[in-house]
mmCIF file of all heavy atoms in Angstrom:
data_model
loop_
_atom_site.group_PDB
_atom_site.id
_atom_site.type_symbol
_atom_site.label_atom_id
_atom_site.label_comp_id
_atom_site.label_asym_id
_atom_site.label_seq_id
_atom_site.Cartn_x
_atom_site.Cartn_y
_atom_site.Cartn_z
ATOM 1 N N SER A 1 38.695 80.762 -116.975
ATOM 2 C CA SER A 1 37.801 79.625 -117.195
ATOM 3 C C SER A 1 36.374 80.093 -117.493
ATOM 4 O O SER A 1 35.903 81.080 -116.934
ATOM 5 C CB SER A 1 37.785 78.733 -115.949
ATOM 6 O OG SER A 1 36.771 77.766 -116.045
ATOM 7 N N ASP A 2 35.692 79.361 -118.338
ATOM 8 C CA ASP A 2 34.287 79.653 -118.620
ATOM 9 C C ASP A 2 33.352 78.885 -117.685
ATOM 10 O O ASP A 2 32.150 79.097 -117.694
ATOM 11 C CB ASP A 2 33.947 79.294 -120.077
ATOM 12 C CG ASP A 2 34.666 80.207 -121.059
ATOM 13 O OD1 ASP A 2 34.832 81.400 -120.752
ATOM 14 O OD2 ASP A 2 35.072 79.714 -122.127
ATOM 15 N N GLU A 3 33.897 77.978 -116.885
ATOM 16 C CA GLU A 3 33.095 77.175 -115.965
ATOM 17 C C GLU A 3 32.539 78.054 -114.846
ATOM 18 O O GLU A 3 33.286 78.730 -114.142
ATOM 19 C CB GLU A 3 33.948 76.054 -115.374
ATOM 20 C CG GLU A 3 33.162 75.092 -114.520
ATOM 21 C CD GLU A 3 34.028 73.961 -113.994
ATOM 22 O OE1 GLU A 3 35.046 73.630 -114.629
ATOM 23 O OE2 GLU A 3 33.688 73.426 -112.927
ATOM 24 N N LYS A 4 31.226 78.053 -114.705
ATOM 25 C CA LYS A 4 30.566 78.892 -113.697
ATOM 26 C C LYS A 4 30.611 78.219 -112.320
ATOM 27 O O LYS A 4 30.385 77.019 -112.204
ATOM 28 C CB LYS A 4 29.095 79.125 -114.080
ATOM 29 C CG LYS A 4 28.899 79.686 -115.467
ATOM 30 C CD LYS A 4 29.287 81.123 -115.542
ATOM 31 C CE LYS A 4 28.882 81.737 -116.858
ATOM 32 N NZ LYS A 4 29.922 82.311 -117.610
ATOM 33 N N PRO A 5 30.902 78.984 -111.285
ATOM 34 C CA PRO A 5 30.890 78.402 -109.944
ATOM 35 C C PRO A 5 29.453 78.151 -109.499
ATOM 36 O O PRO A 5 28.526 78.825 -109.956
ATOM 37 C CB PRO A 5 31.538 79.488 -109.086
ATOM 38 C CG PRO A 5 31.259 80.749 -109.805
ATOM 39 C CD PRO A 5 31.233 80.399 -111.264
ATOM 40 N N ARG A 6 29.296 77.195 -108.636
ATOM 41 C CA ARG A 6 27.965 76.961 -108.078
ATOM 42 C C ARG A 6 28.106 76.646 -106.607
ATOM 43 O O ARG A 6 29.068 76.018 -106.178
ATOM 44 C CB ARG A 6 27.210 75.879 -108.822
ATOM 45 C CG ARG A 6 27.969 74.716 -109.196
ATOM 46 C CD ARG A 6 27.224 73.780 -110.145
ATOM 47 N NE ARG A 6 28.121 72.681 -110.403
ATOM 48 C CZ ARG A 6 28.218 71.613 -109.638
ATOM 49 N NH1 ARG A 6 27.421 71.457 -108.627
ATOM 50 N NH2 ARG A 6 29.103 70.686 -109.903
ATOM 51 N N GLU A 7 27.137 77.112 -105.885
ATOM 52 C CA GLU A 7 27.120 76.919 -104.443
ATOM 53 C C GLU A 7 26.869 75.454 -104.125
ATOM 54 O O GLU A 7 25.999 74.823 -104.719
ATOM 55 C CB GLU A 7 25.991 77.780 -103.857
ATOM 56 C CG GLU A 7 26.261 78.272 -102.484
ATOM 57 C CD GLU A 7 25.185 79.231 -102.035
ATOM 58 O OE1 GLU A 7 25.162 80.379 -102.518
ATOM 59 O OE2 GLU A 7 24.371 78.814 -101.198
ATOM 60 N N GLN A 8 27.630 74.904 -103.192
ATOM 61 C CA GLN A 8 27.456 73.525 -102.752
ATOM 62 C C GLN A 8 26.326 73.477 -101.725
ATOM 63 O O GLN A 8 26.113 74.432 -100.990
ATOM 64 C CB GLN A 8 28.743 73.021 -102.083
ATOM 65 C CG GLN A 8 29.955 73.088 -102.963
ATOM 66 C CD GLN A 8 30.102 71.871 -103.834
ATOM 67 O OE1 GLN A 8 29.721 70.785 -103.467
ATOM 68 N NE2 GLN A 8 30.663 72.071 -105.010
ATOM 69 N N GLY A 9 25.640 72.370 -101.666
ATOM 70 C CA GLY A 9 24.621 72.179 -100.640
ATOM 71 C C GLY A 9 25.275 72.056 -99.271
ATOM 72 O O GLY A 9 26.454 71.736 -99.160
ATOM 73 N N ALA A 10 24.511 72.322 -98.240
ATOM 74 C CA ALA A 10 25.031 72.232 -96.877
ATOM 75 C C ALA A 10 25.379 70.790 -96.545
ATOM 76 O O ALA A 10 24.665 69.868 -96.912
ATOM 77 C CB ALA A 10 24.003 72.769 -95.892
ATOM 78 N N SER A 11 26.496 70.603 -95.851
ATOM 79 C CA SER A 11 26.927 69.276 -95.434
ATOM 80 C C SER A 11 27.781 69.418 -94.190
ATOM 81 O O SER A 11 28.680 70.242 -94.140
ATOM 82 C CB SER A 11 27.734 68.597 -96.544
ATOM 83 O OG SER A 11 28.344 67.429 -96.060
ATOM 84 N N ARG A 12 27.505 68.583 -93.203
ATOM 85 C CA ARG A 12 28.318 68.619 -91.984
ATOM 86 C C ARG A 12 29.591 67.811 -92.138
ATOM 87 O O ARG A 12 30.547 68.020 -91.409
ATOM 88 C CB ARG A 12 27.503 68.083 -90.817
ATOM 89 C CG ARG A 12 26.384 69.009 -90.454
ATOM 90 C CD ARG A 12 25.656 68.528 -89.264
ATOM 91 N NE ARG A 12 24.583 69.475 -89.000
ATOM 92 C CZ ARG A 12 23.692 69.323 -88.087
ATOM 93 N NH1 ARG A 12 23.691 68.269 -87.323
ATOM 94 N NH2 ARG A 12 22.765 70.235 -87.916
ATOM 95 N N SER A 13 29.598 66.872 -93.069
ATOM 96 C CA SER A 13 30.758 65.996 -93.202
ATOM 97 C C SER A 13 31.821 66.552 -94.147
ATOM 98 O O SER A 13 32.984 66.211 -94.034
ATOM 99 C CB SER A 13 30.320 64.612 -93.696
ATOM 100 O OG SER A 13 29.717 64.719 -94.968
ATOM 101 N N ARG A 14 31.447 67.420 -95.066
ATOM 102 C CA ARG A 14 32.396 67.969 -96.032
ATOM 103 C C ARG A 14 33.199 69.098 -95.382
ATOM 104 O O ARG A 14 32.655 69.953 -94.700
ATOM 105 C CB ARG A 14 31.640 68.489 -97.257
ATOM 106 C CG ARG A 14 32.544 68.776 -98.408
ATOM 107 C CD ARG A 14 31.817 69.132 -99.694
ATOM 108 N NE ARG A 14 30.721 70.064 -99.473
ATOM 109 C CZ ARG A 14 29.463 69.808 -99.791
ATOM 110 N NH1 ARG A 14 29.122 68.668 -100.329
ATOM 111 N NH2 ARG A 14 28.517 70.698 -99.577
ATOM 112 N N THR A 15 34.502 69.092 -95.622
ATOM 113 C CA THR A 15 35.363 70.122 -95.029
ATOM 114 C C THR A 15 35.661 71.264 -95.984
ATOM 115 O O THR A 15 36.338 72.211 -95.624
ATOM 116 C CB THR A 15 36.704 69.516 -94.553
ATOM 117 O OG1 THR A 15 37.336 68.912 -95.686
ATOM 118 C CG2 THR A 15 36.478 68.489 -93.465
ATOM 119 N N SER A 16 35.171 71.177 -97.217
ATOM 120 C CA SER A 16 35.360 72.265 -98.171
ATOM 121 C C SER A 16 34.046 72.491 -98.905
ATOM 122 O O SER A 16 33.073 71.790 -98.682
ATOM 123 C CB SER A 16 36.482 71.928 -99.157
ATOM 124 O OG SER A 16 36.100 70.822 -99.945
ATOM 125 N N GLY A 17 34.039 73.491 -99.794
ATOM 126 C CA GLY A 17 32.846 73.738 -100.593
ATOM 127 C C GLY A 17 31.870 74.706 -99.958
ATOM 128 O O GLY A 17 30.730 74.825 -100.402
ATOM 129 N N ARG A 18 32.314 75.425 -98.948
ATOM 130 C CA ARG A 18 31.424 76.372 -98.272
ATOM 131 C C ARG A 18 31.720 77.824 -98.620
ATOM 132 O O ARG A 18 31.074 78.735 -98.121
ATOM 133 C CB ARG A 18 31.546 76.197 -96.758
ATOM 134 C CG ARG A 18 31.111 74.840 -96.295
ATOM 135 C CD ARG A 18 31.174 74.743 -94.790
ATOM 136 N NE ARG A 18 30.746 73.431 -94.381
ATOM 137 C CZ ARG A 18 31.399 72.661 -93.547
ATOM 138 N NH1 ARG A 18 32.530 73.084 -93.011
ATOM 139 N NH2 ARG A 18 30.942 71.482 -93.223
ATOM 140 N N GLY A 19 32.699 78.053 -99.485
ATOM 141 C CA GLY A 19 33.144 79.409 -99.794
ATOM 142 C C GLY A 19 32.064 80.310 -100.359
ATOM 143 O O GLY A 19 31.903 81.449 -99.908
ATOM 144 N N LEU A 20 31.317 79.841 -101.338
ATOM 145 C CA LEU A 20 30.290 80.693 -101.928
ATOM 146 C C LEU A 20 29.121 80.921 -100.982
ATOM 147 O O LEU A 20 28.476 81.976 -101.033
ATOM 148 C CB LEU A 20 29.812 80.110 -103.258
ATOM 149 C CG LEU A 20 30.845 80.182 -104.382
ATOM 150 C CD1 LEU A 20 30.313 79.514 -105.643
ATOM 151 C CD2 LEU A 20 31.265 81.607 -104.663
ATOM 152 N N ARG A 21 28.852 79.970 -100.102
ATOM 153 C CA ARG A 21 27.820 80.188 -99.079
ATOM 154 C C ARG A 21 28.265 81.320 -98.147
ATOM 155 O O ARG A 21 27.470 82.164 -97.745
ATOM 156 C CB ARG A 21 27.549 78.910 -98.297
ATOM 157 C CG ARG A 21 26.893 77.822 -99.141
ATOM 158 C CD ARG A 21 26.757 76.520 -98.387
ATOM 159 N NE ARG A 21 25.848 76.613 -97.257
ATOM 160 C CZ ARG A 21 24.528 76.481 -97.346
ATOM 161 N NH1 ARG A 21 23.961 76.260 -98.518
ATOM 162 N NH2 ARG A 21 23.780 76.566 -96.264
ATOM 163 N N LEU A 22 29.547 81.332 -97.821
ATOM 164 C CA LEU A 22 30.108 82.387 -96.985
ATOM 165 C C LEU A 22 30.047 83.729 -97.703
ATOM 166 O O LEU A 22 29.653 84.742 -97.115
ATOM 167 C CB LEU A 22 31.550 82.033 -96.621
ATOM 168 C CG LEU A 22 32.278 82.954 -95.670
ATOM 169 C CD1 LEU A 22 31.567 83.015 -94.321
ATOM 170 C CD2 LEU A 22 33.699 82.486 -95.474
ATOM 171 N N VAL A 23 30.418 83.743 -98.979
ATOM 172 C CA VAL A 23 30.347 84.975 -99.775
ATOM 173 C C VAL A 23 28.909 85.496 -99.779
ATOM 174 O O VAL A 23 28.663 86.686 -99.592
ATOM 175 C CB VAL A 23 30.862 84.744 -101.214
ATOM 176 C CG1 VAL A 23 30.535 85.922 -102.117
ATOM 177 C CG2 VAL A 23 32.360 84.480 -101.205
ATOM 178 N N GLY A 24 27.948 84.600 -99.985
ATOM 179 C CA GLY A 24 26.536 84.991 -99.988
ATOM 180 C C GLY A 24 26.076 85.542 -98.656
ATOM 181 O O GLY A 24 25.279 86.485 -98.602
ATOM 182 N N ALA A 25 26.577 84.985 -97.570
ATOM 183 C CA ALA A 25 26.179 85.436 -96.235
ATOM 184 C C ALA A 25 26.776 86.799 -95.884
ATOM 185 O O ALA A 25 26.143 87.598 -95.195
ATOM 186 C CB ALA A 25 26.598 84.406 -95.192
ATOM 187 N N LEU A 26 27.977 87.090 -96.374
ATOM 188 C CA LEU A 26 28.668 88.330 -96.009
ATOM 189 C C LEU A 26 28.396 89.493 -96.963
ATOM 190 O O LEU A 26 28.647 90.641 -96.620
ATOM 191 C CB LEU A 26 30.179 88.093 -95.933
ATOM 192 C CG LEU A 26 30.654 87.159 -94.821
ATOM 193 C CD1 LEU A 26 32.150 86.908 -94.953
ATOM 194 C CD2 LEU A 26 30.306 87.714 -93.457
ATOM 195 N N SER A 27 27.907 89.189 -98.164
ATOM 196 C CA SER A 27 27.664 90.253 -99.141
ATOM 197 C C SER A 27 26.164 90.456 -99.335
ATOM 198 O O SER A 27 25.357 89.630 -98.926
ATOM 199 C CB SER A 27 28.335 89.897 -100.476
ATOM 200 O OG SER A 27 27.757 88.741 -101.033
#
């Protein structure tokens, strides 16, 4: 895919969309 991933904003109610934030925190 040519679609670029983008980090989702922080949310306490959302149960997904935190993967890239995690990648950023660990790398």
Side-chain angles (χ1 to χ4, degrees):
S1 170
D2 293 324
E3 186 178 334
K4 306 287 189 237
R6 42 190 180 86
E7 211 174 286
Q8 302 274 329
S11 170
R12 291 184 181 175
S13 62
R14 193 173 44 239
T15 58
S16 65
R18 297 183 180 131
L20 290 177
R21 293 174 65 84
L22 184 61
V23 169
L26 294 174
S27 64

